[in-house]
Amino acid sequence: MIKTLMKQIKEYKKSSLATIFFAVIEVVLEIIIPLLMASLIDKGIEAQNMDAVIQYGAFMFGIAICTLLLGFLAGKYAAKSSTGFAANLRDAMYTNIQTFAFSNIDKYSTAGLVTRLTTDVTNVQIAYQMIIRMCIRAPMSLICALAMALMINVELSMIFVGAIVFLVIILGIIMYKAMHYFNEVFPKYDDLNESVQENVVGIRVVKSFVREKHENEKFKKAAQSIYKMFVKAEGILAFNNPAMMCAVYSCILLLSWLGAKSVVAGNLTTGELTSLFSYTMNILMSLMMLSMAFVMITMSLASARRIVEVINEKSDLVSPPQALTSVKDGSIDFNKVTFSYKHGDGEPVLRDVELHIHSGETIGIIGGTGSAKSSLVNLISRLYDVESGSVCVGGEDVRFYDLEVLRDEVAVVLQNNVLFSGTILQNLRWGNESATLEECQDACRLACADEFIQRFEDGYNTYIEQGGTNVSGGQKQRLCIARALLKKPKILILDDSTSAVDTATDASIQKSFEERIPDTTKLIISQRISSVQSADRIIVLNDGIVDGFDTHENLLAGNEIYQTIYETQMKGKEEA
């Protein structure tokens, strides 16, 4: 874990080392001040030597100014290092998430990934700043102060040693007990974020079903769970301060009593006793800083593990060493394919699928809900790998292709259409970054989107709100189809992506496909017979098994499932 985190310091190593350097020099100068104070008292005040008072006072003032400047520089570089470290952590996680296969993404909830990128990184950032500043400054200050105290008086310095041993034991117990709760509390942030995310995304559904009270209760439950865990953790950490105060006051009382005796006995000067009091505060303040740092580090360890988990996650799908870099055509072959979302121990979603599709064909895919239509087409662009058998595109197993090359040749318009905030033109160019306005307009005409875009005041420069909330479902679908067409793919998959458009527009889109992109293999998933009946052939899926694969006429004559769907839909039309 430490090795993975250290790699993300990168260009901020120099500023991290600068922080340590300035902190060390600051401590050295601070340790000198009590010695000068002792000399000022013994050689200046008690000896009634005003020149010595001025001389030592000037030295102390100069050193104080230097420590102030060094503290500022240490703080500045610590802030730069920690924020840069946090930025690199977020970048490393986000970059790795982009490489995830769907199976990797399924392991983490969206809310969980957001928590890791925000709350967890912030915790680690604060802990890192404390490590390079407090965890360097405090131990060194403690050691130097203890060494100086031993030089002044060994017997009285044993008071500090006893306090240090006492606090180390207490802090160790506190950290051990608190760590258990912090390990549990941060995953609960995932539940809280998930509750917020679901509510915001589905706010229209919440309001239409008047479920605000239910959502409030759900959020309160998640928030209360975090509250209870933090109360338990903080309840243990609360022992830190009393233990620290106990050590501080015990040291002061013992030092006052035993030190006064030593001064009276002539074994210790007044100045030396004063410097011992200063070193007492140095030692105990160092311990207090260390305890604060340890508390934060304890909290951040759970966050660090969650961050490293994402950074080290390896994609289940990678390009082979000598990957194919071109796809010959849009032919598709499923050779005895069995597929499960949980490899090895999951229930098969597709079983023994044998299909052979020619390049340029228009293929309809129909079946009941849960018949694995989307799962079937997800295998074509290798969003998942098969359990057994093989899926071939252009005559080659999809596992032999470079992933980017394969997916560039397979355009998918999903069931849940996603538009991003930005103009229509910017959204369309997701399909082809260098597409001209004319190419975008041509793709929109093919997808029957041009006619409604022209009605917008700003045309193709119309701004799309986040999630495409300012366009209708049908308009969103047509824009997504146009975006896919701009890729000029060899295979086009429409996964129930015309469900929100009327049948006339649906027919018009399919006619445009036949006339303008005849060489592209087109797979059309739909619940409507009218959307697939003009296809060259139609796949009928039933519970992950291919029940039929033929033309509309032949299926209507000999496939029971297809007949049932057809009769149900036709009967519904007649009654309407």
Side-chain angles (χ1 to χ4, degrees):
M1 181 177 77
I2 300 298
K3 187 177 178 181
T4 301
L5 292 173
M6 291 297 287
K7 285 181 181 178
Q8 304 309 318
I9 298 173
K10 296 179 182 177
E11 68 271 30
Y12 298 100
K13 286 179 182 176
K14 288 184 179 179
S15 53
S16 297
L17 291 172
T19 302
I20 295 170
F21 174 76
F22 289 128
V24 167
I25 301 301
E26 181 187 6
V27 168
V28 171
L29 292 180
E30 280 185 352
I31 293 301
I32 295 172
I33 290 177
L35 286 178
L36 293 174
M37 175 67 76
S39 297
L40 186 146
I41 292 171
D42 292 338
K43 298 178 181 178
I45 296 173
E46 288 194 347
Q48 296 183 349
N49 185 344
M50 197 61 192
D51 291 337
V53 170
I54 294 170
Q55 184 182 359
Y56 286 115
F59 279 140
M60 289 173 65
F61 179 77
I63 290 173
I65 294 297
C66 289
T67 55
L68 183 67
L69 179 61
L70 289 165
F72 167 76
L73 290 172
K76 175 186 173 182
Y77 283 104
K80 180 182 178 181
S81 303
S82 60
T83 51
F85 175 53
N88 286 343
L89 284 176
R90 289 192 177 97
D91 183 61
M93 276 196 289
Y94 193 80
T95 301
N96 200 41
I97 289 168
Q98 300 308 306
T99 70
F100 283 2
F102 278 17
S103 54
N104 296 102
I105 294 171
D106 292 341
K107 287 172 61 177
Y108 305 95
S109 67
T110 304
L113 291 173
V114 170
T115 304
R116 284 168 166 83
L117 284 161
T118 52
T119 304
D120 287 330
V121 171
T122 300
N123 288 337
V124 173
Q125 175 186 339
I126 295 169
Y128 182 68
Q129 185 169 356
M130 286 186 167
I131 288 169
I132 61 174
R133 195 174 182 197
M134 282 190 184
C135 292
I136 296 296
R137 188 183 189 284
M140 187 170 179
S141 179
L142 188 150
I143 293 167
C144 290
L146 185 58
M148 297 303 292
L150 286 166
M151 287 173 61
I152 294 169
N153 190 295
V154 176
E155 291 178 358
L156 291 178
S157 298
M158 290 300 107
I159 296 171
F160 307 142
V161 175
I164 291 168
V165 172
F166 167 75
L167 285 174
V168 166
I169 293 170
I170 295 297
L171 290 176
I173 294 170
I174 290 171
M175 283 182 64
Y176 176 77
K177 295 284 186 183
M179 191 64 194
H180 167 71
Y181 294 109
F182 287 126
N183 282 333
E184 291 185 9
V185 75
F186 289 110
K188 292 186 182 295
Y189 273 112
D190 297 349
D191 298 333
L192 186 71
N193 284 347
E194 188 174 6
S195 176
V196 174
Q197 183 186 353
E198 282 185 347
N199 185 276
V200 172
V201 172
I203 191 67
R204 288 169 176 78
V205 178
V206 172
K207 289 190 175 294
S208 63
F209 282 90
V210 196
R211 295 284 286 177
E212 291 91 344
K213 186 177 179 181
H214 168 78
E215 288 298 309
N216 285 340
E217 290 298 323
K218 183 178 170 184
F219 179 83
K220 283 180 183 177
K221 185 177 179 181
Q224 193 70 15
S225 178
I226 292 174
Y227 161 76
K228 288 178 180 177
M229 294 301 293
F230 262 117
V231 166
K232 290 178 181 178
E234 294 294 341
I236 293 171
L237 294 176
F239 287 103
N240 180 46
N241 199 48
M244 188 64 63
M245 291 299 102
C246 178
V248 169
Y249 291 124
S250 295
C251 284
I252 291 172
L253 287 171
L254 286 170
L255 191 60
S256 299
W257 179 41
L258 297 174
K261 281 188 173 183
S262 296
V263 170
V264 171
N267 298 324
L268 195 72
T269 68
T270 305
E272 287 174 335
L273 180 60
T274 304
S275 64
L276 280 175
F277 276 115
S278 297
Y279 289 132
T280 299
M281 294 312 299
N282 272 349
I283 290 168
L284 296 175
M285 285 302 295
S286 297
L287 286 170
M288 188 170 288
M289 282 193 287
L290 279 175
S291 69
M292 289 169 58
F294 283 142
V295 167
M296 192 62 228
I297 291 167
T298 303
M299 288 177 61
S300 69
L301 282 174
S303 293
R305 277 193 285 270
R306 284 157 53 84
I307 291 167
V308 170
E309 185 182 13
V310 175
I311 292 175
N312 290 340
E313 178 79 16
K314 301 296 182 185
S315 176
D316 292 339
L317 303 178
V318 293
S319 301
Q322 295 178 326
L324 298 173
T325 55
S326 65
V327 180
K328 184 176 71 173
D329 56 39
S331 61
I332 305 167
D333 297 288
F334 285 80
N335 303 308
K336 299 292 182 182
V337 168
T338 296
F339 168 68
S340 169
Y341 283 105
K342 293 183 179 179
H343 285 287
D345 59 355
E347 182 69 23
V349 177
L350 292 166
R351 293 184 290 276
D352 202 30
V353 174
E354 184 78 24
L355 293 169
H356 302 284
I357 299 165
H358 306 304
S359 182
E361 271 194 297
T362 298
I363 302 296
I365 304 175
I366 200 164
T369 302
S371 59
K373 300 185 294 294
S374 296
S375 299
L376 180 78
V377 298
N378 282 340
L379 299 178
I380 296 170
S381 55
R382 205 189 168 199
L383 297 177
Y384 295 94
D385 268 344
V386 298
E387 192 83 25
S388 64
S390 65
V391 178
C392 296
V393 170
E396 299 286 350
D397 194 316
V398 293
R399 289 170 290 196
F400 298 160
Y401 285 106
D402 179 88
L403 280 173
E404 287 191 16
V405 169
L406 175 66
R407 290 172 185 172
D408 267 342
E409 297 294 356
V410 181
V412 184
V413 185
L414 300 169
Q415 282 176 301
N416 300 320
N417 299 285
V418 177
L419 293 176
F420 299 90
S421 53
T423 65
I424 288 176
L425 206 56
Q426 288 170 336
N427 270 278
L428 291 172
R429 283 175 175 155
W430 271 66
N432 181 357
E433 290 183 19
S434 58
T436 64
L437 177 60
E438 290 72 24
E439 287 175 320
C440 292
Q441 290 171 334
D442 188 50
C444 287
R445 280 191 285 271
L446 273 172
C448 295
D450 186 66
E451 51 90 12
F452 75 78
I453 294 173
Q454 297 294 352
R455 293 201 300 269
F456 291 143
E457 184 179 346
D458 295 323
Y460 283 82
N461 291 315
T462 299
Y463 190 82
I464 300 293
E465 301 292 341
Q466 186 178 6
T469 55
N470 58 332
V471 291
S472 69
Q475 290 172 339
K476 192 188 294 185
Q477 285 187 336
R478 283 178 277 174
L479 286 171
C480 290
I481 292 170
R483 181 174 64 188
L485 289 171
L486 277 169
K487 289 181 73 174
K488 298 178 181 176
K490 287 186 170 67
I491 298 170
L492 175 64
I493 299 170
L494 304 179
D495 188 355
D496 207 16
S497 54
T498 57
S499 58
V501 301
D502 57 81
T503 51
T505 303
D506 189 6
S508 179
I509 292 171
Q510 292 196 38
K511 185 179 178 182
S512 297
F513 288 171
E514 290 173 16
E515 294 174 353
R516 300 287 299 280
I517 51 171
D519 296 330
T520 299
T521 304
K522 298 164 282 291
L523 279 71
I524 303 168
I525 297 175
S526 182
Q527 301 287 352
R528 300 189 304 209
I529 290 284
S530 59
S531 295
V532 299
Q533 64 182 16
S534 60
D536 297 319
R537 288 185 290 171
I538 302 166
I539 300 169
V540 180
L541 282 173
N542 180 35
D543 196 24
I545 297 172
V546 176
D547 191 76
F549 185 32
D550 213 328
T551 63
H552 167 72
E553 292 75 16
N554 291 340
L555 288 172
L556 199 57
N559 187 277
E560 187 177 339
I561 293 175
Y562 193 80
Q563 288 170 354
T564 302
I565 297 171
Y566 181 81
E567 288 169 5
T568 302
Q569 292 188 7
M570 290 303 105
K571 184 180 178 182
K573 283 186 178 180
E574 290 171 5
E575 288 177 354

